[in-house]
Every structure is written in structure tokens, then in C-alpha cells.
């Protein structure tokens, strides 16, 4: 459930606010409203943090000897600040040196064919009245240069000739346009080479500095993490609102949210600190109300996944943790699809739990989730007779007997619907699995609409939610008819004389009418209908979306089928190696690599598809946007 919150405001004496904030942080109950403080101290903290992040990135790339890794290098905060500042400065200098080397190298490359060029010599000759300029021209054009222009040939190759023009301050008028003037280098080529060597030496010194100080990375990390708390505190301290008076008793105040369950404790803390406090219930327009979830230990197994995804329901939305866990577990089992894979996952989860228990640690919730989904995969493999991609005839008969024939890989029988026991046409195993996927869709999406009906039970809007539920139920038959079998699930089909096909179509029409009239109800039916008319295209597309959302669940069958195909292919590739002693290692390696890769692909599929069905299809029918802000109280944090 989502814990109810109280919006609280605390008023204190402005001159005592720093001590009051320390006390408030020690209490650790108030989720503060967003503040943007500004102070020299805060700016300094942010600069230290930026320098620390850059230093971590640079020094963290240095590979240290194993002995150095085991030794913890301790450094005082003041020295960490100085070290990080030096690292950042040297990083900027290194970048500048690399740019200079690149520019100097480019300049040298320009004069590779010219040889050594000394600007001092050219300046000396110019003082003596001899002006020289550098030119380059294609080899076949050099002989065509006007004889009045005095030139000195320096060197040539098959394509170009390099020469000097004597006695001209500017380009000679009669010089062929094909002659390209080569600008002098910014300094002599020998000086460029020396500058490159000097810069390279300085870079090596910088890298040596990095190497010598890489052992302080853990100290920098610890400093940065501690600094996060200081920044949070100073941001609040500088961002608090206060009166602009010269009075000694000038007031300052701060607002936030406290869980209702902790209000008594918070009131006592305010009284003992002599703070003035006011509280009220959050209003619908309050968008910064944090969400704190409270569930039993079993339902809480889903938290590692939702934390990883960063999905938090809004304060005024639903807590679907239990439903999320239930359907995600089913989806995981179906997508992984192989009981053998599930057995491996379950064993790994149990071993890690036992290891934690034996070492005196509390098992991480993630291990519980891993074990649960592994067990679900075993069950799915059991009922579908899917074990490491092996064929049914390769499995023990007792394992085959435990599977459910209608969805088992061991069965190739056609199954007639229960209302047509004498029918000549039947359903294949694949079609039965498709029906199972669409039935899951009906169940999960129905839960969404029922929850919406419960929330709106005191309003006529409940009829709009009921209409959406009727559309869902009716559209279920449409999907079965269009995707699974148009003959078995025809629109004229009768079950024991009841016109089920016509009835399902009628549900879609009745549901649409109810949704059209009441889905936007806010006290007036006329306004609700008018709102639906304004958004008529969206309303009509809503019916199509119901169809597509149900069909979307077929991904559970399709992805599971793809995984089974891969595991079967791996077995076929490794099969010829079985029984050959020389090939045994290759046989084991191929099986381990192939099935391991398949498990990784299956895991990615679970994240993409299994999570999507909960956070998109299911949530959209609930009207959830996952726009919540996780409850994060202002409290002391232990440095790690």
C-alpha cells in the first residue's frame, strides 16, 4: 500500500536554523520540498564534487599492482581537495599539451619534403637584402616559369618541385598561377621538434603523477560520498525561506512531508526542540508528494526490480506491487520457458541465500526474487515438458507424464473445444498456448479495470470503468477469432445453445457506449459526453487499443518459442560430438556457451517484454503514469 502522508511546515528562529537542520536531519522523517539554495559554501562544495568525479574517472583508469589494491590509502579531506584540484588542473594541461603536439606535428608534416627550415637564417638573409619565399609547383610546370624570375631549386619528386623565389616581398606578377606559396612555419622545424619532445616529457610527468596517486581513489570516493550529505545540508540551509527583518527573532521556515504513521514521533521531536509546526493533508494538485510503499516481505520481493527500473507510482495512483510480482513471476517463467534453466536459476538463488545466512548476513531481497522466478520457470517447464531444449523422447517418461497434454511439447494431438466434443477440427498445442496468453491478458487487464471501479465506486464514473471492462471481455473473443481460429471462435458460435459470439460483440458495443458517456464524468453527464465528443478520435482508437493490448500478450508465447528454438539448435550442433572422448571438452564448451547465451538473451527478453506488460499495457488500463517521487527523508547518511 501507499502510506498516507501529511504536509508539514516547521518554523524556527533564523539564526538557529543551522542547528535546527542538524536536529531535523537526526530525526530523519521529513521528505523536504525541493529547494535551490545559493551560497559561497555550497558553490565550493559543488566544485569539490566535480573535481572528485573527474579525479575518480582519471585515476580509476590506472591499473595498480595487486598489493597496492589491498592497501587502503587514507587521506585527510583537505589533502583530498588539494589532490583533486591538482588532478583536474593537470588534466586540463594534458589536454592542452596534446593539442599543441597535434598542431606542431601537423606543422612538421607540412615541411617533411622541405627538410629543416630555420626562420633565423631567413631573417638573417633578409637583413642582408636577400629576400626568399617558398613555393611549390607541379614538375611539368616548373620549366615554364618566366626566366626573369630568379628561382633556386631545392628538391623535387615525380609530382612536385620545391623552389625559392629570390628578391620579391610579394608574389611576382609573372609567376605561374599553378605555383603554390608555402607559408613559413610558426617557428623553425628544429624548434618544433624540441617543443614536441618537451610537451611529451611533461605528459609523461603528468601520467607519472596519476600513477603515484591512483591508490587514493577509495579516499576520493569516500570524500565525494560524504560531500553529498554536506551539499544536501547546505542546499537546504541556503535555500530556506526567511523574513527580511533586522530583528533577532527573525523567523525561517521549511516544508515537507511526513508519513502519517510517524507523525506522533515527529510532533514530539518538534516539541522537544521548541519548533512551531503545522500540518495538513496533501491536496490533489500537490505534485511533489512523495510515495512510500509498505508491503509484506513477500510482496517486497519486487522492490529490487522496480528500484532498478526507477518506477515509482504517484502518491495519488495505485500500489500494484503485489500484482506486479504475481504477473511478472508468471511472465518470467513463460519467457525463460525452460525448466532446466529454471532449475539452474533456483539453485543459484538458494546457494547465495545459504551463503549469506552462513556468513551471518541478511539475504538480499533480490536473491528471494531470483529464487521465486526460477521456481516459476521450473513449473512452466514441467507443464510444457521443456527441459534444456531436449526432445520429449529424450526425457524420462515420468517427467513427460507430469506435463499438461494441452500445452505440452510431448503432445501432437488436436484438442477439440469442450462445447464441441465431436468436432472434426481441433486446436494445436501452439494455439492452446496462444489462448493461455490471451487469457492472461484478460485476467490482468480486468484487474486494472476492477481496481478503477473500486476507486470510483462513489461516482457515476464507475459506469465508464465498467464499460471499459465489458469492452475488454468482448474483445477477448474477437482476438481469439482473428488470431487463434476463426472457425472455432466464430462470431456465430454457440456454446450449449447460447450465442456466445454475438454476446461478446454486444459487450464491446455496450461497453463503448458506457465509456463514451461516463468515462469523463465529473458531476455532469452532459459535460462528460461533450468531452468524449471533443476527443472522438481518441475514443474510437481506444477500442482498437483494447484489441492491440490483448494481442500484445502473444509475445510471451513468441519469445518463449524463440528461446526453445535456440536451445534446440544448440543441442543439435553439439549432438554429433557426444560419445567421442576427444570431442568431450568441445561438447561441454558448446553446450555451456550456447545455453548460457540463450539464458542471457532470455533475461533481456524478460526485462523488455515481461516488464513492459506490467508497466505499459497493465498500467495504461489503470491510468497510471509512474510519475511518483520516492520518499527520501532528510536524514544522516553513513559514509560508505
Amino acid at each position: 500500500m501507499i502510506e498516507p502522508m501529511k504536509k508539514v511546515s516547521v518554523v524556527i528562529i533564523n539564526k538557529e536554523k543551522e542547528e535546527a537542520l542538524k536536529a531535523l536531519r537526526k530525526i530523519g522523517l521529513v521528505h523536504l520540498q525541493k529547494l535551490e539554495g545559493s551560497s559561497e559554501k555550497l558553490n565550493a562544495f559543488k566544485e569539490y564534487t566535480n573535481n572528485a568525479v573527474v579525479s575518480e574517472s582519471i585515476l580509476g583508469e590506472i591499473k595498480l599492482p595487486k598489493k597496492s589494491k589491498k592497501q587502503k590509502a587514507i587521506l585527510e579531506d583537505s589533502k583530498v581537495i588539494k589532490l583533486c584540484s591538482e588532478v583536474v588542473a593537470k588534466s586540463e594541461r594534458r589536454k592542452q599539451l596534446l593539442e599543441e603536439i597535434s598542431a606542431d606535428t601537423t606543422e612538421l608534416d607540412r615541411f617533411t619534403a622541405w627538410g629543416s627550415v630555420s626562420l633565423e637564417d631567413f631573417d638573417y638573409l633578409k637583413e642582408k637584402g636577400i629576400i626568399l619565399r617558398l613555393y611549390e609547383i607541379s614538375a611539368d610546370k616548373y620549366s615554364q616559369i618566366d626566366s626573369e624570375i630568379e628561382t633556386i631549386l631545392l628538391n623535387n619528386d615525380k609530382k612536385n618541385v620545391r623552389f625559392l623565389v629570390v628578391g620579391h616581398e610579394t608574389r611576382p606578377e609573372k609567376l605561374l598561377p599553378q605555383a603554390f606559396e608555402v607559408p613559413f612555419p610558426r617557428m623553425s622545424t628544429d624548434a618544433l621538434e624540441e617543443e614536441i619532445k618537451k610537451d611529451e616529457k611533461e605528459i609523461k610527468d603528468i601520467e607519472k603523477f596519476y600513477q603515484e596517486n591512483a591508490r587514493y581513489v577509495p579516499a576520493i570516493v569516500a570524500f565525494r560520498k560524504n560531500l553529498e550529505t554536506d551539499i544536501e545540508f547546505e542546499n537546504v540551509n541556503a535555500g530556506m525561506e526567511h523574513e527580511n527583518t533586522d530583528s533577532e527573532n527573525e523567523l525561517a521556515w521549511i516544508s515537507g512531508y511526513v508519513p502519517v504513521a510517524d507523525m506522533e514521533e515527529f510532533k514530539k521531536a518538534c516539541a522537544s526542540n521548541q519548533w512551531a509546526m503545522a500540518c495538513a493533508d496533501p491536496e490533489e494538485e500537490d505534485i511533489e508528494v512523495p510515495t512510500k510503499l509498505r508491503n509484506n516481505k513477500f510482496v517486497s520481493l519486487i522492490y529490487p526490480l522496480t528500484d532498478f527500473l526507477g518506477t515509482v507510482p504517484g502518491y495519488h495512483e495505485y500500489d500494484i506491487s503485489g500484482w506486479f510480482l504475481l504477473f511478472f513471476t508468471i511472465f518470467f517463467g513463460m519467457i525463460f520457458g525452460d525448466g532446466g534453466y529454471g532449475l539452474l536459476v533456483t539453485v543459484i538463488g538458494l546457494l547465495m541465500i545459504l551463503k549469506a545466512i552462513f556468513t551471518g548476513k541478511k539475504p538480499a531481497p533480490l536473491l528471494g526474487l531470483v529464487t521465486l522466478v526460477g521456481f516459476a520457470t521450473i513449473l512452466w517447464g514441467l507443464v510444457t515438458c521443456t527441459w534444456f531444449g531436449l526432445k520429449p523422447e529424450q526425457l524420462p517418461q515420468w517427467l513427460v507424464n507430469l506435463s499438461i497434454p494441452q500445452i505440452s511439447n510431448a503432445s501432437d494431438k488436436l484438442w477439440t473445444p469442450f462445447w464441441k466434443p465431436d468436432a472434426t477440427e481441433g486446436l494445436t498445442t501452439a494455439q492452446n498456448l496462444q489462448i493461455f496468453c490471451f487469457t492472461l491478458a484478460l485476467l490482468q487487464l480486468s484487474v486494472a479495470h476492477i481496481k478503477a471501479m473500486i476507486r470510483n465506486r462513489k461516482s457515476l464514473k464507475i459506469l465508464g470503468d465498467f464499460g471499459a471492462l465489458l469492452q475488454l471481455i468482448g474483445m477477448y473473443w474477437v482476438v481469439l477469432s482473428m488470431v487463434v481460429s476463426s472457425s472455432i471462435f466464430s462470431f456465430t458460435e454457440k456454446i450449449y445453445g447460447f450465442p456466445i459470439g454475438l454476446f461478446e460483440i454486444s459487450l464491446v458495443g455496450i461497453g463503448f457506449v458506457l465509456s463514451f458517456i461516463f468515462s469523463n464524468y465529473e458531476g455532469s453527464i452532459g459535460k462528460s459526453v461533450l468531452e468524449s465528443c471533443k476527443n472522438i478520435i481518441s475514443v474510437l482508437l481506444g477500442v482498437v487499443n483494447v484489441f492491440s493490448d490483448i494481442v500484445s500478450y502473444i509475445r510471451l508465447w513468441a519469445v518463449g518459442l524463440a528461446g526453445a528454438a535456440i536451445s534446440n539448435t544448440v543441442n543439435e550442433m553439439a549432438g554429433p560430438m557426444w560419445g567421442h572422448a576427444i570431442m568431450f571438452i568441445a561438447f561441454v564448451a558448446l553446450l555451456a556457451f550456447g545455453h548460457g547465451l540463450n539464458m542471457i538473451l532470455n533475461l533481456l527478453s524478460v526485462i523488455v517484454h515481461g516488464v513492459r506488460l506490467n508497466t505499459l499495457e497493465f498500467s495504461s488500463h489503470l491510468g497510471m503514469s509512474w510519475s511518483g517521487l520516492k520518499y527520501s527523508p532528510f536524514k544522516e547518511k553513513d559514509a560508505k
Side-chain angles (χ1 to χ4, degrees), residues 172-448:
E173 292 182 5
K174 294 183 179 181
L175 185 62
L176 294 174
Q178 291 86 349
F180 169 73
E181 183 174 3
V182 178
F184 285 108
R186 65 182 182 85
M187 64 174 66
S188 301
T189 53
D190 290 343
L192 284 172
E193 291 175 352
E194 286 298 320
E195 187 170 273
I196 290 174
K197 290 179 181 178
K198 180 183 175 183
D199 290 348
E200 288 176 342
K201 182 180 181 304
E202 189 173 350
I203 288 175
K204 287 182 180 179
D205 291 339
I206 291 174
E207 290 174 348
K208 183 180 178 182
F209 173 83
Y210 291 163
Q211 187 73 38
E212 292 172 348
N213 291 281
R215 60 196 178 101
Y216 293 117
V217 168
I220 294 172
V221 172
F223 169 75
R224 178 181 56 76
K225 290 185 176 180
N226 288 334
L227 204 57
E228 289 174 359
T229 304
D230 295 334
I231 289 175
E232 180 187 33
F233 182 88
E234 185 57 30
N235 186 57
V236 174
N237 185 31
M240 281 182 66
E241 295 185 74
H242 59 86
E243 295 178 319
N244 292 314
T245 66
D246 296 328
S247 171
E248 274 191 15
N249 296 322
E250 180 181 279
L251 300 178
W253 55 90
I254 194 168
S255 299
Y257 297 90
V258 175
V260 171
D262 297 321
M263 276 303 296
E264 288 302 318
E265 181 183 350
F266 180 67
K267 288 178 181 179
K268 290 179 182 179
C270 289
S272 63
N273 285 282
Q274 298 183 334
W275 300 333
M277 189 272 293
C279 65
D281 292 325
E283 298 179 359
E284 285 290 335
E285 55 268 20
D286 288 333
I287 60 175
E288 292 186 3
V289 186
T291 300
K292 182 181 181 182
L293 301 178
R294 183 178 64 192
N295 289 293
N296 58 49
K297 290 184 178 180
F298 180 74
V299 174
S300 299
L301 291 177
I302 198 63
Y303 289 169
L305 177 62
T306 53
D307 289 344
F308 170 75
L309 298 171
T311 52
V312 182
Y315 179 74
H316 299 292
E317 294 182 337
Y318 303 91
D319 175 19
I320 61 168
S321 300
W323 295 109
F324 198 130
L325 178 63
L326 171 63
F327 286 104
F328 175 78
T329 303
I330 297 172
F331 298 159
F332 188 101
M334 293 179 67
I335 291 174
F336 247 66
D338 193 297
Y341 292 173
L343 189 61
L344 290 176
V345 172
T346 304
V347 169
I348 292 172
L350 290 174
L351 288 176
M352 295 183 72
I353 289 174
L354 291 174
K355 179 183 177 183
I357 293 173
F358 288 143
T359 54
K361 297 178 181 178
K362 184 180 179 181
L366 178 61
L367 300 180
L369 179 62
V370 168
T371 306
L372 176 64
V373 296
F375 184 68
T377 309
I378 294 175
L379 288 179
W380 185 253
L382 198 66
V383 299
T384 59
C385 195
T386 310
W387 298 90
F388 291 114
L390 296 172
K391 296 177 181 178
E393 54 268 24
Q394 296 174 306
L395 297 170
Q397 188 58 42
W398 63 269
L399 204 56
V400 175
N401 294 338
L402 289 173
S403 64
I404 297 176
Q406 287 81 355
I407 58 174
S408 173
N409 291 322
S411 174
D412 55 2
K413 180 181 175 182
L414 293 179
W415 302 91
T416 56
F418 66 88
W419 64 88
K420 284 184 177 181
D422 299 326
T424 56
E425 183 180 0
L427 296 168
T428 64
T429 300
Q431 288 175 314
N432 284 331
L433 286 170
Q434 292 171 13
I435 293 171
F436 183 80
C437 291
F438 298 142
T439 304
L440 270 179
L442 177 64
L443 291 173
Q444 188 178 28
L445 300 182
S446 293
V447 168

Side-chain angles (χ1 to χ4, degrees), residues 477-489:
W477 186 271
V478 175
V479 171
L480 293 181
S481 177
M482 298 185 70
V483 179
V484 180
S485 173
S486 60
S487 56
I488 293 178
F489 301 100

Side-chain angles (χ1 to χ4, degrees), residues 140-194:
D140 59 333
K141 295 289 183 181
Y142 180 70
S143 59
Q144 300 176 21
I145 295 176
D146 195 304
S147 58
E148 293 182 7
I149 302 174
E150 185 179 355
T151 64
I152 302 174
L153 175 65
L154 292 181
N155 61 53
N156 66 285
D157 50 39
K158 292 181 179 180
K159 291 184 178 181
N160 298 308
V161 173
R162 282 158 287 278
F163 62 97
L164 300 176
V165 172
V166 183
H168 292 272
E169 285 280 2
T170 58
R171 183 186 182 92
E173 292 182 5
K174 294 183 179 181
L175 185 62
L176 294 174
Q178 291 86 349
F180 169 73
E181 183 174 3
V182 178
F184 285 108
R186 65 182 182 85
M187 64 174 66
S188 301
T189 53
D190 290 343
L192 284 172
E193 291 175 352
E194 286 298 320

Side-chain angles (χ1 to χ4, degrees), residues 3-64:
E3 285 202 40
M5 291 281 171
K6 284 285 187 180
K7 187 175 183 179
V8 300
S9 295
V10 177
V11 182
I12 56 181
I13 303 298
N14 190 35
K15 66 180 181 181
E16 299 174 357
K17 68 176 182 179
E18 191 164 331
E19 292 302 317
L21 287 176
K22 290 178 181 178
L24 190 66
R25 186 168 63 178
K26 191 172 183 180
I27 295 168
L29 294 175
V30 186
H31 177 105
L32 298 177
Q33 287 185 331
K34 189 175 181 180
L35 293 172
E36 291 295 338
S38 178
S39 68
E40 291 183 6
K41 191 175 183 180
L42 182 61
N43 292 337
F45 284 161
K46 289 180 178 179
E47 182 182 351
Y48 299 157
T49 299
N50 292 336
N51 289 349
V53 170
V54 173
S55 299
E56 282 179 51
S57 176
I58 294 173
L59 300 183
E61 295 294 323
I62 307 298
K63 292 184 178 180
L64 294 174

